[in-house]
Amino acid sequence: MSATRQLAALISTRSADYPQAAIAASRDALIDTIACMFAGAKMPVSLNACAAVRNWSLGDSMLFGNAETLNPPFAAMVNGAAAHAFDY
């Protein structure tokens, strides 16, 4: 099994052994990251990252706060740039 599949299996099978505080903190961190992606989507670093890969990476993976789609690795890069651009 690939490392990606192992990680997905670990994430998708929540154990009762996880403390509720850890689950709550993880949920809050995910919500914060998604909010930062939306807020940072129109910042120059995100727009520049998208412009840099737009012609190489037609695909069907969404960009947060943007109607464009890219292939998964480039969408992850642009979404990551957006998340970090507005991360407090």
Side-chain angles (χ1 to χ4, degrees):
M1 182 184 299
S2 72
T4 302
R5 287 193 186 275
Q6 288 177 338
L7 180 59
L10 175 67
I11 292 169
S12 65
T13 55
R14 189 184 74 120
S15 170
D17 297 338
Y18 296 141
Q20 285 300 315
I23 294 168
S26 297
R27 181 180 51 247
D28 291 347
L30 178 62
I31 292 168
D32 177 67
T33 299
I34 292 170
C36 286
M37 282 184 210
F38 277 108
K42 300 298 182 193
M43 297 190 89
V45 67
S46 305
L47 297 174
N48 290 338
C50 187
V53 299
R54 180 179 290 122
N55 294 329
W56 308 338
S57 65
L58 298 177
D60 59 358
S61 294
M62 69 176 273
L63 299 178
F64 285 86
N66 192 327
E68 290 188 68
T69 58
L70 300 173
N71 68 17
F74 288 117
M77 182 190 75
V78 173
N79 285 330
H84 285 288
F86 208 77
D87 189 18
Y88 284 38

